[in-house]
Amino acid sequence: MIRFISRRLLELVIVFFGVTFVIYCAVFVLPGDPIAALGGERPLPESVQQQLRSQYGLDLPLWQQYLNYLGGLARGDLGTTFTGQSVSEQMASRWPTTITLALTAWSLTVLISIVLGLAAGLRQGSAVDRTVLLGTIVAESVPIFVMGITAQYIFGIKLGWTPIAGVADGWPRAYILPALIIAIYGLAGVSRLMRGSVVDTMQSDFVRTLKAKGMSRRNIVGVHVMRNAAAPVVNVLAIQLGGLLGGTVVIEAIFNINGVGQLLYKAIQDQQGTLVVGVATTLVFIFLVTNVLVDVLSSVLDPRIRND
């Protein structure tokens, strides 16, 4: 077990450094000068621009900038924006909103995907099964920003059931529509996985044995099928929780929700490179740690995974 955890942690470190290096290079190699852009229509004097580049280390080679950034990370410092604000402090005030939105979306994903997958799997080949399969394909095919804007127009503007933007109305009224859009987009794959798992379990030998012994269908499904079919689904749902924190970017931008996703969106627009790298690094770290925790928990439940 210790060897398995050590291997997963080593993989986490390698992937973390690799991904953050790619993000750092992508942000600071892109065309455009963020320092020159600070002045807007009235460019800053060249001497001031040079001073700012030196202050933020942008006059150094890229590899040296990245090493300095890693040094800051080791001290728990995500850096400062080009306007002198702490990246950590900017993110801290946004996390409660993003976490509330992500957990609401994740809860809806769990509830809806298990219900749909179970209903389709227990009625393989029926109209319910075909409707669920078709519906999940359609949901996955529609871009999330199209789904978000359409839902905002119908339920927010035409029907007035939910706020058009912001979270001033609090939970759940302000969160339910954007969370539902995120959930619909994410539940398609989980529903199909649950459906397939239920079908396989219902066709297994031990279920046939239970039927032959006269156990009721309710007990077979509620006790035995659900427990066996849910195991692979739980792993995917746990991984999705980490991904949802970063997946709220588009929805937060559409619904003007003051979360980490919107902070990242505006940072990209304003060419705030240090803020983009800081937010992206944090989201990558959360996603990787979530994956490792899921792997470790899965290996506790099924020791065979440690040999993969």
Side-chain angles (χ1 to χ4, degrees), residues 19-306:
V19 173
T20 53
F21 180 71
V22 170
I23 292 172
Y24 197 92
C25 291
V27 169
F28 288 102
V29 171
L30 286 176
D33 186 344
I35 298 298
L38 286 176
E41 296 180 354
R42 301 178 62 182
L44 298 173
E46 185 59 31
S47 60
V48 176
Q49 292 186 31
Q50 287 296 339
Q51 182 183 350
L52 288 173
R53 289 191 185 93
S54 176
Q55 177 181 341
Y56 289 100
L58 297 179
D59 54 346
L60 300 173
L62 189 62
W63 65 268
Q64 197 169 346
Q65 292 181 40
Y66 179 68
L67 289 181
N68 290 341
Y69 177 68
L70 291 182
L73 281 183
R75 298 189 299 272
D77 180 13
L78 288 171
T80 57
T81 67
F82 297 138
T83 53
Q85 297 171 299
S86 166
V87 172
S88 300
E89 289 178 2
Q90 288 219 21
M91 291 177 63
S93 61
R94 310 274 188 134
W95 274 120
T97 302
T98 294
I99 290 174
T100 303
L101 178 61
L103 286 178
T104 305
W106 186 75
S107 301
L108 291 171
T109 301
V110 173
L111 179 65
I112 299 173
S113 61
I114 289 180
V115 169
L116 291 180
L118 188 61
L122 293 176
R123 298 170 178 78
Q124 185 185 12
S126 67
V128 173
D129 186 22
R130 289 193 291 271
T131 302
V132 170
L133 289 175
L134 180 62
T136 54
I137 291 172
V138 171
E140 233 175 13
S141 304
V142 180
I144 191 168
F145 70 91
V146 174
M147 201 184 301
I149 292 172
T150 304
Q152 188 182 41
Y153 176 75
I154 295 174
F155 297 105
I157 297 176
K158 298 296 288 183
L159 300 176
W161 291 353
T162 60
I164 299 172
V167 292
D169 288 15
W171 190 91
R173 179 172 160 75
Y175 287 87
I176 194 67
L177 184 59
L180 186 60
I181 301 302
I182 298 172
I184 288 174
Y185 197 71
L187 65 82
V190 182
S191 297
R192 291 202 295 273
L193 178 62
M194 182 70 186
R195 182 246 181 210
S197 191
V198 169
V199 169
D200 290 342
T201 307
M202 287 296 291
Q203 295 173 349
S204 62
D205 292 337
F206 83 91
V207 170
R208 291 195 193 96
T209 303
L210 292 173
K211 287 179 180 176
K213 290 181 176 180
M215 182 177 284
S216 68
R217 180 179 172 85
R218 176 178 296 181
N219 285 338
I220 291 174
V221 173
V223 178
H224 299 281
V225 174
M226 279 294 292
R227 186 175 59 189
N228 286 276
V233 178
V234 169
N235 288 341
V236 174
L237 286 171
I239 294 172
Q240 272 199 354
L241 180 59
L244 276 178
L245 291 173
T248 60
V249 176
V250 176
I251 290 300
E252 286 186 5
I254 292 173
F255 286 88
N256 196 28
I257 295 174
N258 197 25
V260 173
Q262 189 195 54
L263 180 67
L264 177 60
Y265 176 73
K266 288 187 174 179
I268 295 172
Q269 284 186 317
D270 298 339
Q271 298 185 41
Q272 287 285 351
T274 53
L275 188 54
V276 173
V277 173
V279 175
T281 298
T282 305
L283 295 175
V284 167
F285 182 74
I286 293 173
F287 182 77
L288 293 176
V289 169
T290 305
N291 272 270
V292 171
L293 290 176
V294 171
D295 284 348
V296 172
L297 289 175
S298 300
S299 71
V300 172
L301 298 174
D302 185 358
R304 292 173 299 177
I305 294 176
R306 299 173 201 171

